[in-house]
C-alpha cells in the first residue's frame, strides 16, 4: 500500500516535470529555430536522462550493467514507450535477482 506522503510526492514530482515541459514549450513555441537549434531541442531530453542515470552504471553493479545492455538492445528495435517499460521491468527484476 502506498502511503499518502509517497503518493503526494509522486504527484508533485509529476506536476513539476510537466510544468517544466509546458514552460519550455511556451517559451520556445514562438521562436523560429534554425535546423541546428531544432536538432539540439530534439535530443536534449535524451541527454538529460543520460546525465541522470549514467553515474549508476560506473559503479560496476552487474544487475545495472545487464539492465543497461537490455535497454540499449531494446532501444535499437522498439519505440520509446516500449523501451522505457522493458528497461524499468528488467532493472527491477535484475536488482531483485542479483541483489
Amino acid at each position: 500500500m502506498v502511503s499518502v506522503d509517497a503518493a503526494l510526492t509522486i504527484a508533485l514530482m509529476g506536476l513539476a516535470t510537466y510544468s517544466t515541459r509546458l514552460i519550455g514549450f511556451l517559451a520556445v513555441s514562438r521562436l523560429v529555430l534554425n535546423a541546428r537549434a531544432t536538432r539540439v531541442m530534439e535530443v536534449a531530453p535524451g541527454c538529460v536522462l543520460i546525465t541522470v542515470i549514467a553515474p549508476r552504471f560506473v559503479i560496476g553493479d552487474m544487475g545495472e550493467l545487464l539492465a543497461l545492455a537490455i535497454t540499449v538492445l531494446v532501444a535499437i528495435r522498439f519505440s520509446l514507450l516500449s523501451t522505457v517499460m522493458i528497461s524499468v521491468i528488467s532493472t527491477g527484476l535484475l536488482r531483485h535477482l542479483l541483489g
Side-chain angles (χ1 to χ4, degrees):
M1 183 83 178
V2 177
S3 70
V4 174
D5 290 340
L8 183 60
T9 301
I10 292 169
L12 289 174
M13 289 172 65
L15 181 63
T17 301
Y18 180 74
S19 65
T20 58
R21 286 181 167 264
L22 182 62
I23 291 168
F25 173 76
L26 294 174
V28 178
S29 65
R30 298 208 170 132
L31 296 177
V32 177
L33 301 175
N34 61 24
R36 184 175 181 178
T38 301
R39 181 71 182 137
V40 168
M41 296 302 284
E42 289 172 353
V43 300
C47 294
V48 171
L49 182 60
I50 291 300
T51 61
V52 171
I53 64 170
R56 293 288 300 159
F57 301 112
V58 177
I59 61 173
D61 181 22
M62 187 53 71
E64 302 270 342
L65 293 173
L66 287 172
L68 176 62
I70 291 169
T71 301
V72 168
L73 292 174
V74 170
I76 292 169
R77 183 80 176 146
F78 296 102
S79 70
L80 180 61
L81 180 60
S82 300
T83 301
V84 170
M85 289 173 35
I86 292 170
S87 48
V88 167
I89 292 168
S90 65
T91 302
L93 285 173
L94 289 167
R95 282 182 181 171
H96 177 73
L97 295 172
L98 300 177

